[in-house]
Amino acid sequence: MANGSTLLVGIAQGIQRPSALQRMLPSATRRVLNVQLTELEHHGLVSKTIFAELPPRVEYELTDLGRSLLPVIEVMEQWGNTHRTALEQALAGNLAELPN
Amino acid sequence: MANGSTLLVGIAQGIQRPSALQRMLPSATRRVLNVQLTELEHHGLVSKTIFAELPPRVEYELTDLGRSLLPVIEVMEQWGNTHRTALEQALAGNLAELPN
């Protein structure tokens, strides 16, 4: 879910080529990136254009449906930023309780 | 993700016991339900109270952090309801293209 919204925001900011999107998600392999881009495409949130060049160039764009999701992503990110410390403390506290 | 928000909304509405929560998520096994409730607990979104009765009674409650997430879930649900048809058409259209 987090990668999906990161990709949508990146594409909205004009980062449209897979190689550039990959740099936004260093922890994701190219295969994972492609799976997530295909998932976004299947949900009608992005469209993919393949330019008949050598080597072929691929670019992604937000669809209207994808664009309509940006305010929701914004609300989620604001919540995350506001509550990051409380979330981290909860996770840290609960991890301490786990039997090691 | 979807189950998590469904559980939070249910608990907010006073559905606090695992058996009642289970009825909200018929497709989830009890084990999946417990894993998700534990996940919500680890993220500090719900608290669990075990009443020393026979048999022991367990109830879940939203924490302040969990309650603060309800408006975000509301925005997500509104987006989903508004765009359900477009999403379903995109998915149906793309499934038709898949090689069978």
Side-chain angles (χ1 to χ4, degrees):
Chain A
M1 176 76 191
N3 282 358
S5 46
T6 306
L7 288 172
L8 287 176
V9 170
I11 294 168
Q13 292 166 346
I15 303 168
Q16 297 178 278
R17 298 175 68 171
S19 49
L21 291 166
Q22 173 85 68
R23 284 191 290 275
M24 281 182 62
L25 296 173
S27 61
T29 63
R30 186 55 175 265
R31 205 184 77 73
V32 164
L33 176 73
N34 288 337
V35 165
Q36 288 176 331
L37 287 168
T38 303
E39 185 89 6
L40 292 175
E41 205 184 342
H42 277 178
H43 282 79
L45 299 172
V46 300
S47 62
K48 177 179 175 178
T49 307
I50 303 171
F51 295 88
E53 298 168 2
L54 277 175
R57 182 160 53 98
V58 173
E59 285 192 0
Y60 287 87
E61 270 182 287
L62 291 192
T63 60
D64 290 342
L65 189 60
R67 232 180 317 282
S68 75
L69 198 51
L70 292 177
V72 180
I73 293 170
E74 177 67 24
V75 166
M76 289 162 65
E77 280 182 2
Q78 276 171 8
W79 185 86
N81 295 333
T82 308
H83 300 285
R84 186 173 312 285
T85 314
L87 271 168
E88 283 167 356
Q89 283 167 352
L91 280 167
N94 287 312
L95 284 181
E97 283 171 32
L98 289 180
N100 50 20
Chain B
M1 178 78 191
N3 281 0
S5 44
T6 305
L7 288 173
L8 288 175
V9 170
I11 295 168
Q13 292 167 343
I15 304 167
Q16 298 178 276
R17 301 176 67 170
S19 48
L21 291 166
Q22 173 87 68
R23 283 191 290 276
M24 280 180 64
L25 297 173
S27 60
T29 63
R30 185 56 174 264
R31 205 186 78 74
V32 165
L33 176 72
N34 289 337
V35 165
Q36 289 178 329
L37 287 168
T38 304
E39 184 88 6
L40 292 175
E41 205 183 342
H42 278 178
H43 283 79
L45 299 173
V46 300
S47 62
K48 176 179 177 179
T49 307
I50 303 171
F51 296 87
E53 301 167 0
L54 278 178
R57 182 161 53 100
V58 172
E59 285 191 0
Y60 288 87
E61 268 181 286
L62 291 191
T63 60
D64 290 341
L65 189 60
R67 233 181 317 281
S68 76
L69 198 51
L70 293 177
V72 180
I73 293 171
E74 177 65 26
V75 167
M76 289 164 62
E77 278 181 3
Q78 275 169 9
W79 184 85
N81 294 335
T82 307
H83 298 286
R84 185 174 312 285
T85 314
L87 272 170
E88 284 166 355
Q89 281 167 352
L91 281 167
N94 287 313
L95 284 183
E97 283 170 32
L98 289 180
N100 48 24

